[in-house]
Amino acid sequence: MKKVGIVLVVVVIAMVAGGWWFFTYGAQPAPLTEEQKAILKTQDERLSKGSPDAPVKIIEYVDVLCPFCAKASQPGDILPRMMEEYVDTKKAHYEVRLVAKVAPDSQRAGEGAYCAAEQDQFWPYLDKAYNDTWKQYYSKDKDAADVPFFQMTTIQTFVRSIPEIDFYRWQRCMDNNIYAQTMDDNAKEMVRLEAYGTPTMVVDGKSYTGTPPYPAFQAVINASLNEKKKAQEKKDEEKE
């Protein structure tokens, strides 16, 4: 039994190391194609943070009901650390694009987020969704299908719990069903990127799926920053 346990530990370590290696080195630096440049154009400024002029562009494809997305947003995890180190310091611009992949209620939850964005309440909506699903369900090993917040009969209660949202204006937006196509387009773009899970991060046109340890994620951004710095230095030299 001891030998079996040792083997399992070795396998787990190898899997973690492999995931770290892929996220860090899986997409080698290369000149951006026109398609990659197109991806980086801001789709909706209301779903973004940071300076639009920041050298590194980060796009995250998420599902509101994605357990890994919720975990990554918790204090001390990937997203808060990324915000503090790169977005708040104007080194990176960060944008969220919503898809429906995890659960039957994902589409409704995503459209609800877009409708909240019409009132500049996208971040309170998403933050509450992540915090509530993580604390009440995912941290207790519950599945996305167990989350009741975004069902047809309960999403109104969820939205009403965010005081800044004008509920009746939000409901009119939902009734018009105007963001279903946006989410469908995002899903098609993920397929083109060969990214089939959430979260998927697109860093300067190169996509990475999953939630690796923060140092691996950090290495990807730093590599992009260094690439941009060298390119700028070369331009400066050519001007002299």
Side-chain angles (χ1 to χ4, degrees):
M1 291 296 290
K2 288 184 179 179
K3 288 183 179 180
V4 173
I6 292 171
V7 170
L8 286 174
V9 170
V10 170
V11 169
V12 170
I13 291 173
M15 290 174 65
V16 171
W20 182 312
W21 184 93
F22 174 79
F23 195 88
T24 308
Y25 303 108
Q28 296 299 321
L32 296 184
T33 65
E34 290 305 312
E35 286 183 334
Q36 287 174 321
K37 290 177 183 177
I39 294 168
L40 299 178
K41 292 180 180 178
T42 302
Q43 184 186 74
D44 192 328
E45 198 61 47
R46 299 170 302 180
L47 277 63
S48 69
K49 289 184 177 183
S51 170
D53 300 322
V56 174
K57 310 297 181 185
I58 302 172
I59 295 166
E60 183 182 20
Y61 287 87
V62 308
D63 185 313
V64 174
L65 280 164
C66 165
F68 299 106
C69 303
K71 182 182 183 303
S73 73
Q74 298 307 301
D77 217 304
I78 292 173
L79 284 179
R81 294 175 70 179
M82 182 190 77
M83 293 297 166
E84 182 178 358
E85 186 171 0
Y86 297 104
V87 178
D88 294 345
T89 57
K90 298 182 179 181
K91 295 176 182 176
H93 179 264
Y94 168 71
E95 180 186 358
V96 166
R97 295 182 185 175
L98 298 173
V99 294
K101 289 184 173 292
V102 173
D105 295 329
S106 292
Q107 182 71 29
R108 190 179 303 106
E111 290 185 43
Y114 276 116
C115 287
E118 288 195 350
Q119 302 182 43
D120 294 322
Q121 294 300 314
F122 172 77
W123 296 107
Y125 181 107
L126 188 64
D127 290 345
K128 181 173 175 56
Y130 281 166
N131 289 334
D132 288 1
T133 55
W134 176 254
K135 291 176 181 176
Q136 298 181 41
Y137 293 91
Y138 301 144
S139 65
K140 299 176 181 178
D141 295 325
K142 301 286 187 179
D143 188 77
D146 298 321
V147 176
F149 303 134
F150 303 103
Q151 297 171 1
M152 181 71 76
T153 56
T154 56
I155 190 171
Q156 290 86 355
T157 301
F158 176 84
V159 171
R160 286 180 185 275
S161 70
I162 305 172
E164 293 79 9
I165 294 180
D166 179 333
F167 173 77
Y168 295 103
R169 179 181 168 190
W170 175 88
Q171 186 62 63
R172 285 195 297 273
C173 172
M174 291 292 285
D175 291 342
N176 289 333
N177 199 36
I178 59 176
Y179 291 105
Q181 186 61 53
T182 301
M183 294 182 66
D184 186 52
D185 290 343
N186 289 344
K188 290 176 181 176
E189 184 64 25
M190 283 187 70
V191 172
R192 196 181 69 75
L193 291 168
E194 297 183 353
Y196 300 100
T198 55
T200 285
M201 291 281 188
V202 180
V203 182
D204 278 347
K206 304 174 184 74
S207 64
Y208 307 83
T209 297
T211 52
Y214 183 68
F217 185 70
Q218 197 176 32
V220 170
I221 301 176
N222 287 340
S224 262
L225 281 171
N226 290 333
E227 192 178 337
K228 295 291 179 65
K229 183 180 178 181
K230 289 177 181 177
Q232 186 59 51
E233 288 173 349
K234 185 176 180 180
K235 286 182 180 179
D236 293 342
E237 288 175 1
E238 291 172 350
K239 289 180 182 179
E240 294 178 355

